[in-house]
Amino acid sequence: MSDADDTLKQALTIGREFYVNKDYAKAEPYLAQVAKEGKNFADVYNMLGVIYHDQGQFSRAQQSFETALRINPRYTEASLNLAVTYNDLGKYHEAKETYRNALGASSDAGGDLDPFVQGKVANMYADIGDVYVSSGAFRLAVAEYQRALALRPTFV
């Protein structure tokens, strides 16, 4: 892994931590850095959308949620966030269609986990893998990374 990759991973980790703690002002520059580097992480664009929405920047929020959905069209949370944002912008027809599509996508899974939930679980497995790597337990790390990939093979 290069120094640039390490820096970006660190920015993502710090940004995500601030975001989870709802410290959006501190999270934004870190997450924006990851997005600026051209990394297509749907969750980063979704988090940025939530931050912009919270700041009342509805057009920027809309763009961020739409980018998240271009990356991952079945991202239920981003779809729902976009529907709320469309509503706030007075785009009621788009809000209704986006909400309807989000509900349809989540019910099309046929008893499988919702893609959003799969992504969350896959990220948790990857985080466990990272802990194993930092402890030198590489075989255990590989097993966790394989579990993450089995759930979401297209996640980076």
Side-chain angles (χ1 to χ4, degrees):
M1 199 180 256
S2 72
D3 288 342
D5 288 340
D6 285 342
T7 301
L8 212 53
K9 185 175 181 177
Q10 184 177 16
L12 179 59
T13 301
I14 293 169
R16 206 178 252 141
E17 187 172 321
F18 281 132
Y19 177 85
V20 166
N21 291 318
K22 297 195 184 327
D23 194 343
Y24 295 151
K26 289 182 182 175
E28 181 185 0
Y30 291 102
L31 298 173
Q33 176 186 354
V34 174
K36 182 180 171 198
E37 292 294 322
K39 298 299 180 185
N40 285 328
F41 298 134
D43 65 327
V44 168
Y45 285 99
N46 183 64
M47 288 185 280
L48 284 169
V50 169
I51 290 167
Y52 297 143
H53 187 275
D54 185 65
Q55 296 170 348
Q57 298 182 54
F58 300 130
S59 293
R60 285 183 81 187
Q62 175 187 333
Q63 292 171 349
S64 293
F65 295 135
E66 288 173 346
T67 300
L69 290 168
R70 273 194 297 281
I71 296 166
N72 180 0
R74 295 181 52 100
Y75 194 167
T76 305
E77 182 180 14
S79 291
L80 296 175
N81 288 334
L82 180 59
V84 169
T85 302
Y86 278 150
N87 195 52
D88 290 336
L89 288 166
K91 299 179 178 183
Y92 304 116
H93 176 72
E94 291 92 336
K96 185 176 179 181
E97 287 302 309
T98 302
Y99 181 74
R100 190 175 296 156
N101 290 340
L103 291 180
S106 97
S107 65
D108 288 345
D112 292 335
L113 286 176
D114 175 275
F116 171 69
V117 175
Q118 285 180 339
K120 288 275 195 194
V121 173
N123 285 334
M124 293 169 85
Y125 286 142
D127 289 343
I128 293 169
D130 291 345
V131 171
Y132 282 138
V133 165
S134 67
S135 302
F138 300 112
R139 275 187 282 205
L140 293 171
V142 168
E144 294 303 320
Y145 293 141
Q146 287 173 334
R147 290 175 79 181
L149 286 169
L151 279 175
R152 299 302 287 173
T154 60
F155 273 25
V156 177

